[in-house]
Amino acid sequence: MAAAVSNEEVVVEDVPDGLIDIRFSTVRAERLKMFSDAVWSIIATLMIAPSMHFVAEDMQKSEHGVETIARLLIPQIGFFFLAFLIVCSVWASHVWTFQTMESVTDLSIVLNLAVLLAGGFLPYFYSMMTRFMTWRTVLIYASIHVAISLLMTCLILHAFAYNDGEVLRSRIKEMSPDKKNDKRRRILTRVWVAPFFALVAVPLALLSNIAATVSLSFILVFPWMQSFLVWLWKSLPGKRMATRRERRRWMLEREVILTERIRKGRIEAFNDGAFAIVSTLILLDINEKYLPTKAKMEKDFHGDAIACVTSYWGVYLSYALVFTLIGLLWDVQLTFFKNFNKISRLMLLINQWSVACVGVIPLAFTFILHFTRENAVRAGIKIGCVAIFGGGFWNCVMYLVTLGFANCRPDELWMHPSIRPGGSDFKFFVVELSASPICSVVVFALSFLKNELISAYVGAALIGAYALFMIFGRTLNALLCYPKEYESLSGSSALNEEAVEENKTN
């Protein structure tokens, strides 16, 4: 009774007729990883929803001006970044957990679904905490993190214990028992960082909200601070490492600070999910505000659906432009990771900041939808420009960091040679990378004019020009540069084969 289904092969041994095999079966972990990444990206991006509802509710109140609402949003946006990055930190622990597994059992799948179920409550209790930040709401939020960590601990212990590590990757199976225990301990330490500082924030919330927020921010800082302090302590003059294990730990912490490698596919899946939910959130805004009721349809449009649709043409055009812009930003990310071979821990952090900035775009669109309010469009354009600039800026930082890794370690393939200085795609890649932040600065400056619609028109024209540049520019670049590139780089195929082989081993 054996079943083979492409890459997802279920391992089931023969059993006598008339009996049911109730033993754990193992399947490849890739499908489970992709599903988990999509769920985590949705959980992280939904953290912007409370701010969107705050704007939608206050826009209905005449006593609050648009400028006042925008100022009140500043701390909420800052808290969104904190909550987004905390979810990313929990997701990163999930990534490192499953990086040790080649396959998963039925119990692993159930435990992982329970982890995602608990994580799905984070946006709701985060919204409650932002509106009523007391020690009780912080305790509920911390309890969710404790539940997630308990479930992930069971998942890790099961993976290392099941059939003497059968589901682990081959390189971990071959480790000595001491190294296996050290690996497991390091993963468990990462998993419990978030609940520890979340629980510390509970009594601090009695003193002040700022103290509780600082404790939550340590969830992001602690892993880096720990690695740096260990590395710094071992590097002090006169500090001798007596045992081989101490020397290995020192080398490991030095690598963790900058160049700990993470599988690229999971980051791509997380980014795709985040961009997808950002695109969906702006459509939900239209459904909430501009979907007419039956009474409104009869009263204002006399039952004519076409007249209703044509009256909202500006809303649909705004959605099309913003959706196109999000698609172009996603395309830049696609080009990024297509040309990158390795992703380090530092690059992962920079990528999370970039995606968090893109997550603010639905909030800007919420302002634009209330175009009947004075200065609402201006505020939306400004917030959108800042978000787009932030996303493009962090993309540029990621490229420079990766270029630094490639120059410091020429023996390792960090990025494709074509996007390095002097490569065939370098100039086009730099233009593509810098276009969005430059255009956002131009539109942001124009938004201070008396007629803010000028900046909207210029922004729409720049989006169209950018899209045409991406389409025709790439085609022209491919026709002119690629033949020369392949003639000059005779060893490019061997280089790619080497990268593929190295990814398999890692």
Side-chain angles (χ1 to χ4, degrees):
M1 190 172 63
V5 184
S6 63
N7 292 330
E8 300 288 340
E9 183 178 354
V10 182
V11 180
V12 182
E13 297 181 1
D14 294 334
V15 296
D17 294 337
L19 296 179
I20 299 176
D21 186 6
I22 61 173
R23 291 172 297 176
F24 291 128
S25 60
T26 60
V27 297
R28 290 187 62 81
E30 296 306 317
R31 184 83 176 266
L32 184 64
K33 294 176 184 178
M34 297 301 107
F35 174 76
S36 302
D37 294 338
V39 174
W40 281 119
S41 63
I42 293 172
I43 292 172
T45 313
L46 282 178
M47 295 295 182
I48 197 63
S51 300
M52 296 170 62
H53 290 306
F54 173 81
V55 172
E57 291 174 1
D58 277 30
M59 281 291 189
Q60 309 300 329
K61 302 175 183 178
S62 58
E63 66 269 16
H64 282 170
V66 175
E67 292 83 359
T68 303
I69 296 174
R71 284 196 298 269
L72 292 174
L73 269 178
I74 294 176
Q76 288 203 23
I77 294 175
F79 211 74
F80 157 73
F81 275 93
L82 177 61
F84 185 96
L85 294 173
I86 287 175
V87 173
C88 288
S89 177
V90 178
W91 165 74
S93 300
H94 190 275
V95 171
W96 281 305
T97 298
F98 276 87
Q99 267 191 179
T100 63
M101 303 181 196
E102 186 68 36
S103 56
V104 292
T105 66
D106 292 341
L107 181 58
S108 300
I109 295 174
V110 172
L111 288 172
N112 185 70
L113 290 175
V115 169
L116 299 179
L117 174 62
F121 285 103
L122 286 175
Y124 174 77
F125 290 112
Y126 157 75
S127 303
M128 183 182 293
M129 190 170 59
T130 54
R131 295 191 179 194
F132 320 101
M133 193 168 184
T134 64
W135 72 269
R136 293 180 177 87
T137 55
V138 177
L139 176 62
I140 297 173
Y141 183 75
S143 300
I144 299 297
H145 282 287
V146 171
I148 293 172
S149 297
L150 283 173
L151 291 167
M152 289 187 65
T153 299
C154 294
L155 200 155
I156 294 165
L157 294 177
H158 169 66
F160 276 85
Y162 176 74
N163 203 6
D164 197 23
E166 178 186 342
V167 299
L168 298 176
R169 294 192 177 277
S170 56
R171 61 183 178 85
I172 300 178
K173 291 180 189 177
E174 297 169 358
M175 289 181 177
S176 63
D178 289 341
K179 289 184 178 181
K180 275 187 181 179
N181 292 335
D182 187 58
K183 182 76 174 179
R184 182 177 57 190
R185 180 190 58 79
R186 290 176 63 83
I187 297 175
L188 291 174
T189 301
R190 282 176 175 167
V191 166
W192 281 97
V193 167
F196 173 79
F197 286 104
L199 289 173
V200 171
V202 175
L204 292 178
L206 294 171
L207 303 176
S208 70
N209 293 342
I210 296 177
T213 304
V214 170
S215 178
L216 292 174
S217 66
F218 265 89
I219 297 174
L220 314 176
V221 177
F222 177 76
W224 293 88
M225 185 172 62
Q226 180 193 32
S227 298
F228 177 75
L229 289 178
V230 170
W231 175 77
L232 186 64
W233 171 253
K234 300 298 183 182
S235 303
L236 290 176
K239 181 65 179 178
R240 298 184 62 184
M241 289 162 281
T243 65
R244 184 178 179 181
R245 184 174 180 178
E246 287 184 356
R247 289 193 295 270
R248 183 170 59 84
R249 177 70 186 275
W250 177 77
M251 294 292 294
L252 182 62
E253 295 294 346
R254 187 180 66 178
E255 293 295 311
V256 162
I257 293 175
L258 297 176
T259 61
E260 181 183 35
R261 289 173 290 187
I262 302 163
R263 289 184 173 271
K264 187 173 67 171
R266 298 205 61 181
I267 303 174
E268 291 175 325
F270 182 87
N271 289 352
D272 292 344
F275 277 90
I277 194 62
V278 166
S279 304
T280 309
L281 282 176
I282 60 178
L283 183 60
L284 290 177
D285 260 0
I286 296 177
N287 287 340
E288 289 182 3
K289 184 171 177 59
Y290 289 97
L291 187 63
T293 61
K294 186 175 181 179
K296 183 177 179 61
M297 179 71 75
E298 293 294 336
K299 179 182 178 181
D300 296 343
F301 305 104
H302 307 289
D304 188 353
I306 296 178
C308 174
V309 170
T310 54
S311 66
Y312 297 145
W313 68 270
V315 175
Y316 306 138
L317 178 61
S318 300
Y319 168 72
L321 290 172
V322 175
F323 186 91
T324 303
L325 177 61
I326 294 172
L328 292 172
L329 294 174
W330 171 81
D331 189 69
V332 172
Q333 288 265 343
L334 178 68
T335 305
F336 243 77
F337 288 96
K338 180 184 70 174
N339 288 284
F340 286 171
N341 180 51
K342 297 180 181 179
I343 303 297
S344 69
R345 183 173 166 184
L346 180 60
M347 292 165 63
L348 174 63
L349 178 64
I350 298 172
N351 175 75
Q352 291 169 357
W353 275 99
S354 176
V355 177
C357 290
V358 175
V360 180
I361 293 178
L363 178 62
F365 190 70
T366 303
F367 276 94
I368 295 174
L369 287 181
H370 295 81
F371 58 87
T372 53
R373 290 287 300 270
E374 184 181 0
N375 295 330
V377 174
R378 188 193 305 273
I381 291 174
K382 288 181 178 179
I383 295 174
C385 288
V386 173
I388 294 166
F389 177 83
F393 169 78
W394 288 113
N395 283 337
C396 294
V397 172
M398 190 191 305
Y399 173 73
L400 293 176
V401 168
T402 312
L403 188 62
F405 288 158
N407 292 332
C408 293
R409 298 194 172 193
D411 56 324
E412 297 184 13
L413 182 64
W414 283 89
M415 62 172 61
H416 196 275
S418 62
I419 64 170
R420 297 182 65 173
S424 60
D425 291 335
F426 174 70
K427 293 181 181 179
F428 182 84
F429 185 75
V430 169
V431 173
E432 181 181 357
L433 201 60
S434 59
S436 58
I438 291 175
C439 292
S440 62
V441 170
V442 173
V443 176
F444 183 83
L446 293 175
S447 66
F448 287 93
L449 296 177
K450 187 174 183 181
N451 185 1
E452 69 273 7
L453 291 179
I454 294 177
S455 60
Y457 296 144
V458 173
L462 289 175
I463 292 174
Y466 187 30
L468 292 175
F469 166 77
M470 297 283 283
I471 295 171
F472 295 106
R474 283 183 178 173
T475 304
L476 185 62
N477 186 63
L479 292 174
L480 294 179
C481 298
Y482 277 174
K484 298 178 180 178
E485 179 73 13
Y486 284 119
E487 289 177 4
S488 60
L489 293 176
S490 58
S492 61
S493 60
L495 192 61
N496 289 332
E497 291 177 3
E498 179 187 348
V500 172
E501 197 64 32
E502 185 173 357
N503 275 333
K504 289 181 179 179
T505 58
N506 290 333

